[in-house]
Amino acid sequence: MSKILVIVESPAKAKTIEKYLGKGYIVESSIGHIRDLPKSAAEIPPKFKNQSWARLGIDVEHDFEPIYVVSAEKKSQVAKLKSLLKDVDEVVLATDDDREGESIAWHLYQELRPRVPVRRMVFHEITPEAIRKAIQNPRSIDQNLVEAQETRRALDRLYGYEVSPVLWKKVAPKLSAGRVQSVATRMLVERERERMRFRSATWWDLEGLFEAKGVRFPAALAELDGVRLASGKDFDAQGRLKDGAKVVRLAEGEARALAQALAGSDFRVASLEERPFTQRPYAPFITSTLQQEGGRKLGFSAARTMRAAQRLYEGGYITYMRTDSTTLSQEAMDAARKQVRSLYGDAYLHPAPRTYDKKSKNAQEAHEAIRPAGSTFRTPESLRAELGDDEFRLYDLIWKRTVASQMADARGRRTALRLEGAASDGRRATFSASGKTIDFPGFLRAYVEGSDDPEAALEDRETILPDVTRGDAVEARKLEAKSHATQPPARYTEASLVQALEAAGIGRPSTYASILSTIQDRGYAVRRGTALVPTWTAFATSALMEGNFGRLVDYDFTARMEEDLDDIAGGRKRRGPYLRAFYFGEGEGGLGLKNLVESRLETIDPREVATIEVPRLEGSGIEVRVGRYGPFLKRGEETANIPADLAPDELDLERAEELLRTAQGERVLGTDPGTGLPVLARAGRYGPYVQLGEDTPPAKTASLLPGDKLEALTLERALELLSLPRFVGKLDGEEVWAYNGRYGPYLKKGSDSRNLGSHEQLFTVTLEEAERLFQQPKARRGAKGPLRVFEYPDREPIELREGRFAPYLTDGQLNASLRSGEDPLELSAAEARDILGERGKPPKNAGKRPSRSAGTAKAAAKGKAGARKAAAPAKTAARKAPASRAAKGGKAATKPRAAAGSKPAEWRELQAYVGVLSDTERRLVTATRGEGRKVEEVAPELGLEVAKARGMALQASKKLNQALREARG
DNA sequence: CAGTGAGCGAGCTTCCGCTTGACTT
């Protein structure tokens, strides 16, 4: 008997199908994609490593030929499939019937290279008949569809891997950009910008409680003397009444006076309108709506909803949970209708089977809607005992929604009632009340959709009005003036962002949940309650993207891409030309990503990118910037960290001033008894420190030591820190001092120095210990020694040393760092030799450059290409290099000094270069540094604000130092 | 976003979309 191997994507699906197919069939799964472009350097096959395009995983020079690798976690599955292949006579590739599914089938074919016949087929429904029918109608792999997928993959890779590095260099390392996440982030940012520009308007009205025929009901003032009362929709986002709005706007006093004037008035029914309505049930669940309702009704995050759904699917309780199709199979339709009839009766059944149009853009519809599995739906109650809590609640939701989708419309009436009364001042007031009566609940018996807006949900409930007719008297029980305010547009929640992305055709059901975690993991958004609040980093990134890669964050970008992919799938376009236009800019309207990125790397000024526009701070001289240590405010030389829990739209001028006043972390600890000067704790660019005196420059500063916390610092400890350096004693006639330095604690004796083991030793080290330390050679090469030494008969020994970044190997000529997977303890001599041979490199700075300034180095490296714009790129480079180092968790220790080894220059040395300064700068520095006067005193004479003068003085000093360095060569 | 002296050495971060465990807590 012949055997057939059927390969599907999901193991759970494989299990189900195997049951239906029975003997003669082996059903296995690929577990999704089996191959992909290499993710990182470690996955790139060695033979491509030297190619300039290797980091992309796509040979952009040869028609965008992709490199595919079987990722580590799929290797065992691929091996399993290969071994199963040996014993079968035929292979059936039954992956999903969409672009990705077709591609998986093709990759399976490529990777497995079966020697037996291969057929491609698709199931749209998992029932014995449907599967048997599919098996009888095989087709071949659709190469155009595969090509469309490959195009999509390449475009996403090129976008992500070309643009992300721009962010690393201009904003912060490890950030990312991508077709989906960058648009998602932009949506959050744009909404927050609206909120930041928003000005609220307030108005007043009257709310009354009326009674007629024994029924009490609320009604609100709608008109005054026939003119409509202003309400929220009459105001614009600036809090102004819209042009041409013919309305009355009541102020508080007027509203209260009117309430008084109406007290005791007679009211009559002026009009009564009744309109019938019907309401259709909602479409069965797809991934996005399931996530939305899971969030609204159950309070689940998108990820939690999907975890529960996955378990339900694996247990065979529901159909596949990653779908964009609202279609129910015939089997499901029958089951739902049967259940409606038995649970609610024929009256509740919609006369004909209901179908729902696909509603999302770019839907691929490879699966059916999410619904209870099987041809008979099990009721939630019957599963109570066997399901976990989350699963039960989610199943209940799915079951209700599916059943409701086949039920009858709800029918009811909406009534609008208007009441009139005359005020004592002669004005005529009209109140309106609305009611809603459900005559026949239909599907509402089973399911009411949740809402993001609880107020709207409340209004949705049934409201009963008394059975009155025109002219009937109505009694006012209570009349109250009430204030209202317009609200800014609401922030996105996880659910509403998914909805917005889906509406724009961006992202796929399988990725919605991970999009949300990506933008949170990258620090573009944080959750506050259910709301997603964009961070300042998101503002900086989005502004960069909008200003420099506008087309890539266009909301229609994906939509246009999808059209092009459809053309490729339909054979009307080719992958090559399309990608060449996108990447190289060939052809009309081609984007030309490669050149765009190159030119933007030159032109984008990181300082500009780091500065964020905040409308409410315009003209105040206060800037918001994102720096290495997070967002901060800046006004001249004053700075203050912006607390993480302050949402961008909450930062107004008042708050900003307050933050600057009590600069975060900055506080006065007390007074130094010795000098009488105040002791301040502050957060600086090199971390927290304490400062003696309020002047600029302060009398003294000292960094906090590793165990110290800025928030918990005491005056006592601060004074201790400020007491450094400590005089330890005299050795050989020279003074020994204990310093806390850039590279840690150390002892200094004349021009000689030694590291100390711990910071506490600064306070405890004795002269005897110091003497011993100075007797030992300097703690460099010899002191630490290699971790291990590998010896070889035929070559120099190789040493394994502890490095600043990671352990590394060296033989004196070549060095190579160990990578994450390589254990320094497990390493063998042979491996060490291989590693050094494979990627050993001679030291870069073999004692050539006097300056380690990154700015100089980068500018120099740019050489010919950058010569034209030498000034601008140099500035760029100077800032970005320290940024990338610092963010790695390295402290100030790795910051390069502009001029190694130079001491702060003396004024008399600098004086010679005042020619490089402007007139004002020169007068300022001469007065402060030359004559020792205070900035506060000099500033008014020069017509400057003190803060500005401080900044100028600092700039001037930098210029002078720069000039001095240049002169020294 | 403060100032406080030394120096061998790097390699990586990142995309979107298809799928589950294998890990630990």
Side-chain angles (χ1 to χ4, degrees), chain A residues 140-182:
Chain A
S140 54
I141 291 175
D142 181 344
Q143 284 302 330
N144 286 335
L145 200 52
V146 172
E147 194 163 294
Q149 191 278 343
E150 198 165 68
T151 310
R152 196 277 307 156
R153 182 68 191 88
L155 182 139
D156 282 334
R157 167 55 65 92
L158 295 170
Y159 182 154
Y161 276 37
E162 287 287 8
V163 181
S164 296
V166 178
L167 298 181
W168 303 342
K169 285 167 192 145
K170 305 296 183 182
V171 186
K174 297 191 180 179
L175 293 181
S176 58
R179 176 173 56 83
V180 173
Q181 59 171 295
S182 293

Side-chain angles (χ1 to χ4, degrees), chain A residues 612-653:
Chain A
I612 293 156
E613 276 182 43
V614 179
R616 283 179 191 152
L617 300 183
E618 242 167 54
S620 69
I622 302 177
E623 283 180 344
V624 174
R625 291 205 186 170
V626 288
R628 277 158 269 172
Y629 307 103
F632 63 99
L633 293 169
K634 184 168 160 63
R635 178 170 56 194
E637 287 300 296
E638 279 179 276
T639 58
N641 290 331
I642 301 177
D645 58 357
L646 186 75
D649 79 328
E650 289 162 354
L651 182 69
D652 53 16
L653 190 55

Side-chain angles (χ1 to χ4, degrees), chain A residues 678-946:
Chain A
V679 177
L680 278 63
R682 311 183 65 180
R685 55 187 291 204
Y686 306 122
Y689 66 104
V690 289
Q691 153 175 344
L692 185 64
E694 274 172 335
D695 294 340
T696 308
K700 192 160 190 198
T701 61
S703 285
L704 265 58
L705 302 185
D708 293 322
K709 289 245 164 65
L710 191 61
E711 315 84 70
L713 203 71
T714 60
L715 176 64
E716 210 179 358
R717 178 63 171 171
L719 291 172
E720 202 172 25
L721 295 171
L722 285 165
S723 74
L724 295 173
R726 181 173 67 96
F727 179 64
V728 180
K730 274 195 164 186
L731 275 182
D732 316 323
E734 281 194 289
E735 293 187 348
V736 178
W737 288 81
Y739 282 90
N740 181 31
R742 281 201 291 158
Y743 309 110
Y746 67 102
L747 289 173
K748 188 174 170 167
K749 183 183 75 159
S751 59
D752 203 4
S753 69
R754 293 288 184 280
N755 283 334
L756 285 173
S758 79
H759 282 90
E760 277 319 297
Q761 280 187 292
L762 286 170
F763 305 109
T764 58
V765 73
T766 63
L767 192 60
E768 292 71 39
E769 289 166 335
E771 187 172 10
R772 252 175 281 139
L773 273 171
F774 276 106
Q775 279 165 3
Q776 286 166 14
K778 215 158 192 178
R780 288 178 50 217
R781 192 170 315 201
K784 271 200 173 170
L787 295 177
R788 300 175 65 187
V789 180
F790 303 105
E791 312 233 1
Y792 306 89
D794 54 344
R795 76 182 316 291
E796 296 289 301
I798 297 177
E799 293 182 348
L800 177 69
R801 295 184 161 274
E802 196 57 62
R804 220 173 5 158
F805 314 110
Y808 69 101
L809 296 166
T810 179
D811 62 356
Q813 306 294 314
L814 299 173
N815 303 317
S817 279
L818 290 193
R819 287 179 178 157
S820 54
E822 294 159 350
D823 187 343
L825 299 175
E826 299 282 317
L827 207 65
S828 72
E831 285 166 338
R833 180 170 49 190
D834 289 348
I835 289 174
L836 204 62
E838 197 179 305
R839 51 174 204 257
K841 283 179 186 163
K844 249 186 197 166
N845 305 336
K848 280 187 301 201
R849 290 199 314 270
S851 161
R852 297 179 56 81
S853 155
T856 326
K858 291 275 180 178
K862 277 180 195 275
K864 309 166 270 234
R868 234 172 344 113
K869 299 176 181 175
K875 191 172 80 184
T876 308
R879 184 186 175 277
K880 74 193 176 192
S884 66
R885 283 165 199 236
K888 239 179 10 217
K891 311 186 303 175
T894 55
K895 188 179 186 277
R897 277 177 75 89
S902 75
K903 288 183 179 161
E906 297 281 333
W907 169 245
R908 59 190 154 69
E909 292 177 279
L910 294 174
Q911 210 173 2
Y913 303 98
V914 292
V916 303
L917 302 178
S918 75
D919 198 43
T920 318
E921 283 175 330
R922 193 171 61 242
R923 286 167 64 191
L924 180 64
V925 211
T926 313
T928 52
R929 296 201 62 173
E931 300 162 21
R933 296 171 63 196
K934 295 204 164 170
V935 177
E936 289 89 334
E937 191 190 319
V938 183
E941 292 172 17
L942 298 173
L944 294 169
E945 281 174 33
V946 176

Side-chain angles (χ1 to χ4, degrees), chain A residues 50-370:
Chain A
N50 296 327
Q51 303 290 337
S52 58
W53 46 264
R55 67 183 178 86
L56 297 171
I58 298 172
D59 184 354
V60 294
E61 287 155 20
H62 294 95
D63 208 29
F64 298 88
E65 191 59 39
I67 303 172
Y68 288 117
V69 292
V70 178
S71 59
E73 73 265 32
K74 293 294 166 59
K75 286 227 161 88
S76 65
Q77 190 64 15
V78 171
K80 186 175 182 184
L81 291 173
K82 277 183 178 163
S83 88
L84 285 172
L85 207 57
K86 288 179 193 149
D87 303 319
V88 298
D89 309 293
E90 194 181 327
V91 177
V92 169
L93 301 175
T95 48
D96 292 349
D97 186 20
D98 59 13
R99 203 160 60 209
E100 299 295 329
E102 201 71 15
S103 168
I104 293 174
W106 180 78
H107 279 290
L108 283 168
Y109 182 75
Q110 292 287 309
E111 190 63 30
L112 300 177
R113 298 244 156 245
R115 302 223 180 111
V116 293
V118 177
R119 289 185 296 167
R120 165 83 172 119
M121 64 187 53
V122 292
F123 311 127
H124 290 277
E125 214 174 304
I126 304 181
T127 57
E129 309 91 83
I131 290 169
R132 244 170 267 133
K133 215 193 262 173
I135 294 259
Q136 281 154 19
N137 293 291
R139 60 174 174 83
S140 54
I141 291 175
D142 181 344
Q143 284 302 330
N144 286 335
L145 200 52
V146 172
E147 194 163 294
Q149 191 278 343
E150 198 165 68
T151 310
R152 196 277 307 156
R153 182 68 191 88
L155 182 139
D156 282 334
R157 167 55 65 92
L158 295 170
Y159 182 154
Y161 276 37
E162 287 287 8
V163 181
S164 296
V166 178
L167 298 181
W168 303 342
K169 285 167 192 145
K170 305 296 183 182
V171 186
K174 297 191 180 179
L175 293 181
S176 58
R179 176 173 56 83
V180 173
Q181 59 171 295
S182 293
V183 173
T185 303
R186 184 181 175 202
M187 285 179 172
L188 299 183
V189 167
E190 294 215 316
R191 179 64 55 85
E192 194 74 8
R193 285 187 190 140
E194 283 177 45
R195 292 171 62 88
M196 289 160 80
R197 283 193 298 264
F198 184 81
R199 284 169 205 263
S200 182
T202 56
W203 76 92
W204 287 71
D205 69 356
L206 299 185
E207 293 193 351
L209 188 64
F210 293 84
E211 184 173 334
K213 301 201 170 171
V215 178
R216 289 192 176 197
F217 62 96
L221 182 65
E223 284 176 12
L224 206 52
D225 281 335
V227 184
R228 190 166 59 79
L229 217 68
S231 65
K233 63 178 188 300
D234 297 312
F235 296 92
D236 64 16
Q238 290 303 303
R240 292 173 305 225
L241 266 181
K242 285 180 188 163
D243 286 347
K246 285 193 183 135
V247 292
V248 197
R249 181 182 185 178
L250 289 185
E252 180 175 4
E254 298 171 298
R256 293 198 190 282
L258 184 63
Q260 286 278 319
L262 282 167
S265 300
D266 293 329
F267 285 89
R268 292 197 173 277
V269 175
S271 71
L272 181 70
E273 246 179 66
E274 191 173 83
R275 285 212 317 267
F277 72 91
T278 60
Q279 195 180 345
R280 283 166 44 117
Y282 317 99
F285 276 133
I286 58 178
T287 307
S288 61
T289 50
L290 181 71
Q291 288 178 7
Q292 282 149 30
E293 289 288 276
R296 289 166 177 165
K297 293 196 145 176
L298 309 178
F300 290 180
S301 67
R304 187 170 165 191
T305 297
M306 293 312 282
R307 269 198 305 274
Q310 175 84 29
R311 284 192 293 266
L312 288 170
Y313 168 66
E314 284 166 10
Y317 298 104
I318 60 169
T319 54
Y320 196 58
M321 65 283 159
R322 290 186 274 263
T323 175
D324 51 19
S325 167
T326 55
T327 307
L328 289 180
S329 62
Q330 192 58 49
E331 170 193 83
M333 194 85 83
D334 294 344
R337 297 180 66 81
K338 200 165 68 193
Q339 206 140 39
V340 173
R341 199 174 278 133
S342 72
L343 287 171
Y344 304 104
D346 277 338
Y348 280 87
L349 185 68
H350 189 69
R354 283 186 192 268
T355 56
Y356 295 85
D357 291 340
K358 75 167 183 184
K359 66 170 203 179
S360 67
K361 237 189 213 173
N362 309 327
Q364 306 242 340
E365 310 213 305
H367 305 274
E368 62 172 315
I370 305 169

Side-chain angles (χ1 to χ4, degrees), chain A residues 409-422:
Chain A
D409 292 350
R411 288 192 308 273
R413 285 161 294 141
R414 287 207 176 86
T415 30
L417 184 64
R418 290 173 90 78
L419 313 170
E420 256 182 33

Side-chain angles (χ1 to χ4, degrees), chain A residues 478-551:
Chain A
K478 202 160 82 180
L479 284 175
E480 260 179 1
K482 201 163 178 198
S483 83
H484 301 269
T486 53
Q487 298 297 318
R491 288 203 183 91
Y492 284 101
T493 61
E494 285 201 345
S496 64
L497 183 62
V498 165
Q499 197 172 15
L501 288 171
E502 186 191 39
I506 298 171
R508 304 277 315 132
S510 63
T511 61
Y512 293 142
S514 63
I515 294 164
L516 299 170
S517 35
T518 298
I519 60 177
Q520 292 172 68
D521 291 348
R522 298 276 172 279
Y524 290 141
V526 291
R527 277 183 66 159
R528 182 193 274 192
T530 57
L532 287 171
V533 186
T535 60
W536 295 106
T537 305
F539 274 77
T541 305
S542 252
L544 184 153
M545 293 297 293
E546 288 161 25
N548 297 282
F549 301 96
R551 276 170 67 180

